[in-house]
Amino acid sequence: MTHVKVKRPKISQAVVDGFAAIIDAQDKKGLEKYDRSIDDAVDEDYDWKLMALEEMADYSKYLVREIRRLRNALDSFLNRDLTSLALLDVNQERIAQNAKWGLQRHDYPFWLTILVEEVGEVSQAMQKDCTSYKNSDASDLYKELIQVAAVAVAIAEQVKENDATL
């Protein structure tokens, strides 16, 4: 069979080169293991179809494993991205709180009252579809959770500020 040199796109050539490197490595392993190339193998010594099926079974397992790895990586990325988005929303809420109320500094028992009131709104938002639900303006669970986090951050800011002045 005559091989005609083809000018390939760079990506196609990278695939061909990568595949050729894998074939070369497999040929080397075969020579080391069997002390002969596949060309010199005795047909009666091998069940080629069975060996091909065994390789396909391994190939399938490797693909499933790689798909799981990629899904885990994607889940990790998406969770990290969702965390970043939620933290951005908390930061925006802090800015809105400071714009509305100014820089707040309270004693901790008063902060606790504010925080628990916000947590109560989260509880109401979580129960809005329950039969025992009490009417409330706290219907947006995400918004309520962001407000709880923002109040907690405001308290943390004050704690950090107080620690810095000691």
Side-chain angles (χ1 to χ4, degrees):
M1 182 163 106
T2 311
H3 179 71
V4 178
K5 184 74 174 167
V6 176
K7 175 73 174 151
R8 292 186 178 91
K10 290 178 185 176
I11 290 176
S12 296
Q13 190 61 52
V15 169
V16 169
D17 293 345
F19 201 66
I22 292 169
I23 290 172
D24 292 344
Q26 288 298 102
D27 286 345
K28 182 179 177 190
K29 277 196 236 176
L31 279 171
E32 290 169 0
K33 183 173 181 178
Y34 301 108
D35 200 31
R36 67 178 71 155
S37 76
I38 193 167
D39 294 334
D40 299 326
V42 178
D43 286 338
E44 291 75 29
D45 292 344
Y46 300 97
D47 184 341
W48 299 109
K49 290 183 282 186
L50 177 61
M51 290 170 61
L53 284 172
E54 291 169 348
E55 294 296 327
M56 289 296 293
D58 284 343
Y59 171 77
S60 296
K61 292 187 292 185
Y62 301 153
L63 283 179
V64 167
R65 182 63 190 242
E66 179 63 4
I67 289 168
R68 285 183 182 166
R69 186 191 69 79
L70 291 171
R71 279 189 181 142
N72 288 339
L74 180 60
D75 288 347
S76 177
F77 172 77
L78 291 175
N79 287 337
R80 187 171 40 247
D81 191 47
L82 290 174
T83 299
S84 297
L85 292 173
L87 290 173
L88 285 172
D89 288 341
V90 171
N91 191 52
Q92 288 177 336
E93 178 62 22
R94 281 296 298 122
I95 292 167
Q97 287 173 351
N98 283 342
K100 184 174 182 177
W101 306 105
L103 184 63
Q104 297 183 75
R105 293 298 179 251
H106 305 293
D107 58 26
Y108 294 142
F110 190 73
W111 269 124
L112 183 60
T113 303
I114 296 169
L115 185 61
V116 169
E117 187 270 333
E118 293 296 337
V119 170
E121 291 180 10
V122 167
S123 176
Q124 290 173 348
M126 285 181 166
Q127 297 177 51
K128 74 177 182 178
D129 295 325
C130 296
T131 55
S132 62
Y133 174 69
K134 144 185 159 184
N135 283 338
S136 168
D137 63 346
S139 60
D140 185 342
L141 178 59
Y142 182 80
K143 179 179 143 200
E144 299 302 337
L145 288 165
I146 295 299
Q147 288 173 355
V148 166
V151 169
V153 168
I155 299 167
E157 290 168 2
Q158 182 176 327
V159 169
K160 197 79 161 161
E161 182 180 274
N162 290 345
D163 287 350
T165 60
L166 294 180

